[in-house]
Amino acid sequence: MPAGLEQLALANARTTEGDAADLRRFLDLVPDPRGRKGRRYPAHALLCAAAAAVLTGARSLIAISEWITDAPQHVLGLLGFPADPLTGLRTVPHAATVRRLLQHVDGDALDTAIGAYLRARTPPPAPPEPPPKRPALRAIAVDGKTVRGSRTQTTTAIQLLAAMDHHGVVLAQRQIASKSNEIPAFQPLLDTIDLESTVLTGDALHTQHGHGAYLIERGAHYLAIVKKNHPGLYAQVRKLPWAEVPLDHHTRERAHHRDEIRRLKVAAFRHIDYPGARQAIQVVRWRRDLATGKLTIERVYLITSLDVFDATPAELAAWIRGHWGIENLLHHVRDRTFREDDSKVRTGTLPRTMASLRNLAISLFRQNGETNIAAALRRTSRDYHRPLSALGLSDQPGQIPIMQ
């Protein structure tokens, strides 16, 4: 069984390694919330159809239903819709049927299945030549997003906490409980991910002693931002003799109508009051607006469990900057390309389910090397076989497909 499937805490897991790239095998493990009486269409078929429709650019439930209605018979067969025993034709579900399933499906189970599918679909990296002196670390960013359109007169908008690798693939997602914040959802989010040989990045909200101890126990490293919400820790790091610490890394670039200089210093300091902390980091950012000439200077302090032998200053700088890729590669795309904040779906788990399907589409495109998600959606929508190929829905499951 693939490593991703072993982390699915769902019953009746009977998926073989050869089916790892077939989304149907993972969605089979998501519990069907509907009653058995009158159930005409399999849940995995409806979920696969919704995922395929989102891969073609469907932004709403109406668009998903229209895509399913227009699908040819052989496409419906690959999606898993049953044929009528008398006529041999495959009927399509009513839009209300699709809505009822998506608004009642278990969000945690769906996100776990999607995350396991994406991890199983990723081919193992080729062994480097020559072998590295130390294992390569995988960077994972954790950040939350508010689905603004889900707000009602009586309830606040739902919040979703996601874990994404720095290449743009969503590994896990969890909904934050009402009247709570991201902190309690941090550990449940990461419980479904293998954290060995990883480095976690997050904003200052997640610089919590409990989070640091949890990551060390799971075999992971962290890069934690320290701000004034932790006054004692902030004072301890800020008052280090940074003027005497030599410059470890320096970059300068001109983009987005501004000139930017980044300077990074690292100090090995084993008396930091934080679990597993080994080094303190100071990042100074100089930004000059080329239009107005305005200069801003920002100092950011971080701590990390990485030792001087675990990562170079250049790697630390890349991970610190790469954390904000979760905003650019995921949240911004969901807002601008899929118009997530304009969506008014609010019933049941619909907001989260739609966000999960968008995460799946974006991650698949990122895995296939796409950089322009809007263009990839247009290209995929031209042929019914392209979204099916991306989801592994073919007559030969087990092959990792690449969209053409």
Side-chain angles (χ1 to χ4, degrees):
M1 182 177 291
L5 288 178
E6 293 176 357
Q7 298 176 17
L8 276 172
L10 304 171
N12 301 323
R14 296 179 181 177
T15 307
T16 63
E17 187 171 357
D19 299 324
D22 190 336
L23 181 63
R24 291 171 298 192
R25 312 303 179 185
F26 291 82
L27 294 182
D28 274 340
L29 304 173
V30 178
D32 191 337
R34 302 170 298 170
R36 293 186 178 275
K37 185 177 181 180
R39 188 188 299 176
R40 185 174 181 182
Y41 303 99
H44 75 269
L46 294 171
L47 291 173
C48 283
V54 172
L55 272 169
T56 64
R59 299 176 180 175
S60 65
L61 290 170
I62 294 177
I64 291 174
S65 298
E66 290 175 345
W67 187 91
I68 299 173
T69 301
D70 295 338
Q73 285 289 301
H74 69 280
V75 170
L76 296 175
L78 289 175
L79 290 170
F81 289 98
D84 187 281
L86 296 178
T87 64
L89 296 178
R90 304 179 191 275
T91 59
V92 295
H94 191 273
T97 302
V98 180
R99 170 185 283 272
R100 281 194 295 268
L101 175 66
L102 296 184
Q103 75 183 24
H104 291 111
V105 70
D106 187 330
D108 288 338
L110 179 61
D111 277 321
T112 302
I114 289 175
Y117 165 70
L118 291 171
R119 292 192 293 273
R121 186 179 184 273
T122 305
E129 293 292 342
K133 295 182 180 179
R134 55 182 173 81
L137 298 177
R138 184 183 190 186
I140 299 175
V142 175
D143 193 31
K145 180 185 184 298
T146 301
V147 184
R148 302 186 186 280
S150 62
R151 182 183 293 109
T152 67
Q153 293 181 350
T154 58
T155 61
T156 60
I158 70 167
Q159 292 178 287
L160 300 173
L161 185 65
M164 184 197 81
D165 70 19
H166 283 202
H167 299 293
V169 177
V170 180
L171 305 176
Q173 180 176 261
R174 194 168 185 87
Q175 183 169 334
I176 299 170
S178 178
K179 298 182 180 180
S180 184
N181 56 46
E182 298 177 16
I183 296 175
F186 182 84
Q187 294 186 21
L189 172 77
L190 299 177
D191 281 341
T192 60
I193 305 175
D194 181 10
L195 296 181
E196 288 290 336
S197 299
T198 62
V199 54
L200 271 290
T201 61
D203 55 25
L205 178 66
H206 293 293
T207 304
Q208 306 289 332
H209 282 65
H211 292 359
Y214 168 79
L215 293 175
I216 295 300
E217 182 181 352
R218 291 288 309 277
H221 291 286
Y222 58 79
L223 276 166
I225 298 176
V226 181
K227 290 188 176 180
K228 294 182 180 179
N229 57 331
H230 295 280
L233 183 61
Y234 178 78
Q236 187 180 21
V237 175
R238 185 179 64 85
K239 291 181 180 179
L240 291 175
W242 292 109
E244 302 173 12
V245 177
L247 181 66
D248 290 293
H249 187 70
H250 171 273
T251 60
R252 180 170 185 170
E253 63 180 32
R254 179 170 294 187
H256 306 292
H257 306 287
R258 67 188 183 193
D259 196 8
E260 184 170 5
I261 299 174
R262 293 171 175 264
R263 297 163 58 89
L264 180 142
K265 295 182 178 181
V266 184
F269 189 60
R270 295 183 179 272
H271 300 287
I272 302 175
D273 183 21
Y274 197 83
R278 294 292 178 264
Q279 297 186 93
I281 303 169
Q282 183 196 63
V283 178
V284 182
R285 305 185 183 114
W286 302 61
R287 294 192 182 98
R288 184 183 299 277
D289 190 301
L290 298 179
T292 64
K294 181 181 179 181
L295 176 66
T296 59
I297 302 175
E298 179 185 17
R299 285 180 175 83
V300 179
Y301 298 97
L302 304 95
I303 53 177
T304 179
S305 60
L306 294 163
D307 211 332
V308 292
F309 303 106
D310 294 328
T312 65
E315 289 174 321
L316 294 175
W319 290 330
I320 293 170
R321 191 172 187 182
H323 168 74
W324 303 111
I326 194 171
E327 293 286 348
N328 299 327
L329 300 178
L330 181 64
H331 297 164
H332 180 76
V333 175
R334 277 166 43 185
D335 283 340
R336 302 296 295 178
T337 303
F338 287 99
R339 312 299 299 177
E340 182 170 270
D341 283 348
D342 295 336
S343 175
K344 299 302 180 183
V345 292
R346 301 165 178 169
T347 309
T349 60
L350 269 177
R352 177 179 181 178
T353 302
M354 294 298 293
S356 301
L357 296 176
R358 292 169 187 139
N359 288 344
L360 172 62
I362 293 169
S363 299
L364 285 173
F365 287 132
R366 299 291 184 198
Q367 286 183 330
N368 290 336
E370 300 284 355
T371 56
N372 188 326
I373 302 300
L377 291 171
R378 292 192 297 269
R379 185 164 53 253
T380 307
S381 66
R382 297 185 193 124
D383 187 344
Y384 272 98
H385 290 91
R386 289 178 178 175
L388 300 187
S389 175
L391 299 174
L393 307 183
S394 63
D395 295 329
Q396 296 179 347
Q399 296 180 353
I400 297 179
I402 301 296
M403 287 182 293
Q404 300 297 328

